[in-house]
């Protein structure tokens, strides 16, 4: 069976930086190093960081003392930085700079008095962080989180300023941009979808059109991986796996060409394991 890996897939800039910061901190310090929530959305890599570097995960800062706290790539609301300072924790901020860009865009729109619409997953930590920063800037701001562009179009507000979760589907941004232009709406829109997301989506879409089966590797809790699965499923039989153990021989019956892509938090060693297993089927 012929296996092809998408031209762009796997670890992005922000994830690489977060892992580098966390591991360098753990190696250089005698104190405990913890991440506030999962550093990235990949259970296998989180487990490796614990095993090889002793990096632990905490889900709340309550009661935590004498520790290095690594802020996840998705960012956190400003209150969490303040809480860490009060508790004398050493904060290592691994917020991806593209997430910081969305936070700043949201702050800017709120400062200017626009009703803010954030397109993304309401409970995703990145959205929680963006909301926190925007509300800190302007507690009385009108802020909405909508899961889809269609939801926003249906709401049809008179005024709106729109930002996107960094890992939202780029085609949806383009659709909204076109809608605003065609309807001559007085809305502001900022493309806050990061380059890695865009490249991974384009490459997955292009590959899925040329293969029989697509295997998408990544955490089941990874939003950007789930969006890759949705994109690929439009063109090929597509399956989402976290590890090689989930591969099912039956998926490949009758297939001559298999495509592989991976979410932005998926380490290369997990991808290699899966590709090797498919090649040996
Ligand atoms: S997916 Fe984009 S925004 Fe998220 S961590 Fe990676 S580079 Fe940063």
């Amino acid at each position: 069976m012929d296996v092809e890996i998408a031209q762009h897939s796997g670890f992005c800039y922000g994830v690489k930086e977060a892992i580098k910061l966390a591991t360098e901190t753990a190696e250089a310090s005698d104190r405990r190093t913890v991440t506030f929530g999962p550093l990235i959305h990949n259970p296998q890599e989180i487990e490796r960081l614990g095993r090889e570097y002793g990096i632990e995960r905490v889900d709340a800062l309550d009661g935590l003392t004498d520790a290095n706290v690594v802020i996840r790539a998705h960012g956190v609301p400003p209150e969490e930085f303040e809480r860490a300072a009060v508790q004398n924790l050493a904060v290592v901020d691994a917020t991806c700079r593209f997430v910081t860009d969305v936070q700043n865009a949201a702050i800017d729109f709120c400062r200017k008095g626009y009703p803010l619409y954030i397109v993304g997953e309401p409970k995703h930590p990145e959205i929680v962080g963006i909301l926190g920063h925007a509300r800190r800037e302007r507690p009385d701001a009108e802020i909405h989180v909508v899961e889809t562009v269609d939801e926003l179009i249906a709401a049809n507000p008179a005024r709106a300023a729109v930002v996107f979760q960094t890992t939202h589907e780029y085609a949806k941004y383009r659709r909204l941009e076109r809608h605003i232009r065609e309807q001559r709406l007085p809305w502001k829109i900022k493309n806050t979808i990061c380059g890695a997301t865009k490249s991974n989506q384009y490459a997955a879409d292009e590959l899925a059109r040329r293969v029989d089966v697509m295997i998408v590797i990544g955490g089941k809790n990874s939003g950007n991986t789930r969006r890759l699965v949705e994109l690929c499923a439009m063109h090929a039989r597509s399956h989402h796996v976290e590890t090689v153990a989930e591969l099912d021989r039956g998926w490949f019956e009758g297939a001559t060409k298999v495509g592989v892509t991976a979410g932005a938090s998926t380490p290369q060693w997990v991808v290699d394991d899966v590709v090797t297993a498919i090649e040996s089927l």
Side-chain angles (χ1 to χ4, degrees), residues 12-15 73 96 98-99 166-167 194 196-197 264:
C12 62
Y13 158 84
V15 165
C96 175
F98 300 113
V99 173
T166 52
T167 53
C194 77
T197 295

Side-chain angles (χ1 to χ4, degrees), residues 115-119 127 131 135 141-146 152 157 159 161 163:
L116 177 68
Y117 286 78
I118 307 169
V119 184
I127 301 297
L131 273 170
R135 289 212 189 283
E142 181 187 338
I143 305 177
H144 306 265
V145 180
V146 290
L152 173 54
R159 288 175 77 231
V163 297

